[in-house]
Amino acid sequence: MQYYLTNASTNKKTGPIPVSTISKLTCPSACPLKGANGCYAENYPLKGHWDKVTTGERGTDFEGFIQKVRRLPNGIWRHAQAGDLPGADNEIDDRQLQTLAAANQNRPVIAYTHKPMTPENLKSLQTAQKAGFHVNLSANKLSEIDQLAETGLSVVTVLPSVYGRMTKGKAYTETLADYKERLRDLESVTPSGIRIAVCPATYLDDVTCQSCGACAKIRPANTAIGFPAHGIRYKRIDEGVNLGATKRRHNDKETLP
Ligand code: SF4
């Protein structure tokens, strides 16, 4: 299983922070976005890099990766811009995850998992969080947010493309004011009262993960961060996201806590 660490990402939304790319073998079959079903990492240029890491053409083994994590600078970084937590398919390799958490030494890390929340996986994540390695659980439908939030861990979700700011190519075709006005008419609170906040890097040019960092920490009232479907596979995501689960909307002016 290969791992690759880039010292400074060239991804505009991430900002120039360290990012890791992990073998596709870590991706769970439980993830409904896997393959051509909407996974953003299957788009070029990331796909080309990810394929090379998966075949072993690039990267190191787990031990080599851990050495690099230990030497990371003390700022925020992104784990698994493609790929998932250590462990093949649906399983989390507990020994490797706790090794990664210890090597991280409490650095703020942006990490997500699509692995299913079996009792074993949940226990691994709870242990890692206590050791300072915060992982967001990825919901695949709005209706899954409440269910995942019951674990007490942080949750993010994909959102239908209608939650995104309108663009043509890379340029916005909707003013920020119009977008925020339109957003106020969309559901943004789950039935159990969890607020959904749209990732600001998806609609503001001057926000990056480096400047935001909301995914790297436990959020007030466990606010779930949402990522509107975009890119060439947005229709596949739109088909799978269940809007019916949200009943109310918030009136907050702010978009993130
Ligand atoms: S909410 Fe913030 S940290 Fe999370 S993905 Fe968006 S910009 Fe990055």
Side-chain angles (χ1 to χ4, degrees):
M1 200 90 81
Q2 290 293 100
Y3 292 73
Y4 190 94
L5 192 67
T6 304
N7 289 329
S9 173
T10 53
N11 184 305
K12 193 170 153 263
K13 287 185 174 153
T14 307
I17 59 174
V19 294
S20 64
T21 306
I22 318 299
S23 165
K24 287 185 190 183
L25 298 177
T26 58
C27 284
S29 46
C31 177
L33 306 180
K34 193 170 178 176
N37 291 318
C39 175
Y40 82 95
E42 290 287 1
N43 295 329
Y44 285 96
L46 180 53
K47 176 179 165 46
H49 173 55
W50 196 22
D51 285 347
K52 286 181 177 164
V53 173
T54 300
T55 60
E57 194 178 322
R58 281 185 190 165
T60 65
D61 63 8
F62 182 72
E63 297 309 324
F65 174 64
I66 288 298
Q67 296 300 326
K68 289 176 189 282
V69 171
R70 282 201 189 103
R71 294 197 295 267
L72 279 172
N74 279 330
I76 193 168
W77 67 292
R78 166 86 161 93
H79 178 62
Q81 62 169 342
D84 208 296
L85 295 175
D89 202 339
N90 290 334
E91 287 182 19
I92 292 175
D93 183 317
D94 183 57
R95 186 191 65 77
Q96 289 193 341
L97 180 59
Q98 306 320 331
T99 302
L100 175 59
N104 183 53
Q105 299 167 83
N106 280 309
R107 292 177 186 87
V109 59
I110 298 172
Y112 312 95
T113 185
H114 265 104
K115 307 240 187 202
M117 277 311 96
T118 61
E120 295 79 15
N121 284 352
L122 178 57
K123 195 166 166 227
S124 287
L125 290 172
Q126 288 168 331
T127 306
Q129 182 156 302
K130 278 187 198 142
F133 196 89
H134 173 261
V135 178
N136 296 276
L137 308 184
S138 295
N140 305 308
K141 296 180 177 184
L142 299 186
S143 55
E144 284 179 4
I145 297 173
D146 286 339
Q147 188 189 339
L148 290 175
E150 281 176 15
T151 63
L153 300 177
S154 301
V155 180
V156 297
T157 187
V158 289
L159 290 169
S161 57
V162 69
Y163 281 74
R165 187 173 169 190
M166 286 188 236
T167 56
K168 186 167 186 184
K170 291 187 175 171
Y172 293 120
T173 55
E174 185 175 35
T175 67
L176 188 57
D178 285 350
Y179 168 64
K180 288 197 166 182
E181 188 60 39
R182 191 166 58 76
L183 207 56
R184 272 193 275 273
D185 287 331
L186 298 174
E187 308 289 2
S188 61
V189 179
T190 69
S192 77
I194 294 174
R195 186 177 156 218
I196 303 162
V198 177
C199 162
T202 65
Y203 64 86
L204 292 173
D205 279 330
D206 57 352
V207 175
T208 63
C209 293
Q210 187 175 35
S211 65
C212 166
C215 290
K217 54 196 171 196
I218 297 168
R219 296 175 286 277
N222 207 358
T223 295
I225 291 176
F227 302 98
H230 65 285
I232 57 173
R233 294 189 172 91
Y234 78 92
K235 283 187 182 162
R236 298 296 294 267
I237 296 176
D238 279 353
E239 284 162 12
V241 176
N242 175 13
L243 263 176
T246 52
K247 303 290 184 206
R248 303 185 302 257
R249 62 190 175 87
H250 68 78
N251 294 314
D252 297 0
K253 290 271 192 296
E254 294 187 357
T255 309
L256 272 179

